[in-house]
Amino acid sequence: METVEEFRTLTRAALVGLTLRAHRPFHFWVPAFKVAPRYFLRMARTATVAQLEMEVAEPAPFSKNLYPVTLPSVEAFQACPILLGASSPAKEELLSKLRKGRLAFRGKRLAYLPLRRLSSEWLLQPFGLAFPLHALRWGRAL
C-alpha cells in the first residue's frame, strides 16, 4: 500500500476529504506509547484515516513535559493489520485480501503531537480527539 487511494480501495472506507490527497503517500499513524487498548485503537484509527500532513521540525531540546515513548516499533507494526480491520466496514473482504498479501515494514518516524490537558481528559489537538487522563496512567502498567 503506497498511496492514500490504495488504502481507501483496500479498506473500502468512505474517507471524506481524502479525494484531493488520493495520490499522496500513505502512512500508518500509531501512538508511540502504551495506552488502554480502546483509546490506542481510536487514536491510531483517527490519525491514520485523517492522513494529516505534518511539517517536520527540528527536534526540540529535551523537555520534562514530553511523554515518553513506551511502545516498541515492532509492536507498533503489529498493530497495523488490526488498524486496517478497524478502518474497514468490509472486514471479511479485507481479511481475505490480507491473507493473500503481506505487510512490509518500510520505515518509521517519530512525531510528537501536542496533548493538551483539560480538566479530566487529554485532547490530541490535531485530530480533535479526547481521552481520559487515567488512560495514560493505565497504559504505563502494560
Side-chain angles (χ1 to χ4, degrees):
M1 203 168 19
E2 299 288 330
T3 65
V4 172
E5 179 62 27
E6 289 174 358
F7 170 74
R8 193 174 64 76
T9 301
L10 178 65
T11 60
R12 294 201 180 274
L15 304 177
V16 179
L18 289 184
T19 309
L20 298 174
R21 295 181 252 162
H23 299 292
R24 289 187 184 163
F26 172 80
H27 304 284
F28 284 103
W29 285 74
V30 179
F33 50 86
K34 293 183 179 185
V35 64
R38 72 182 203 191
Y39 302 117
F40 179 88
L41 187 57
R42 186 170 23 153
M43 281 187 266
R45 183 180 59 232
T46 301
T48 297
V49 168
Q51 289 293 303
L52 292 181
E53 283 199 31
M54 305 294 281
E55 288 185 30
V56 178
E58 289 298 315
F62 180 75
S63 170
K64 290 186 282 184
N65 295 329
L66 296 178
Y67 194 79
V69 172
T70 58
L71 186 75
S73 58
V74 171
E75 289 182 32
F77 176 70
Q78 290 169 343
C80 291
I82 296 164
L83 186 51
L84 280 173
S87 303
S88 176
K91 292 177 185 1
E92 288 184 27
E93 185 179 329
L94 175 67
L95 184 59
S96 68
K97 288 178 183 178
L98 287 176
R99 284 185 184 141
K100 294 175 188 173
R102 283 182 23 176
L103 289 178
F105 190 63
R106 295 201 180 182
K108 60 188 174 195
R109 186 180 329 179
L110 182 64
Y112 275 96
L113 301 177
L115 285 175
R116 195 171 101 206
R117 184 177 177 167
L118 301 176
S119 61
S120 63
E121 58 190 9
W122 290 106
L123 176 64
L124 186 56
Q125 289 183 288
F127 306 103
L129 186 65
F131 58 96
L133 287 177
H134 68 78
L136 290 178
R137 266 183 273 140
W138 190 84
R140 283 191 180 237
L142 293 175

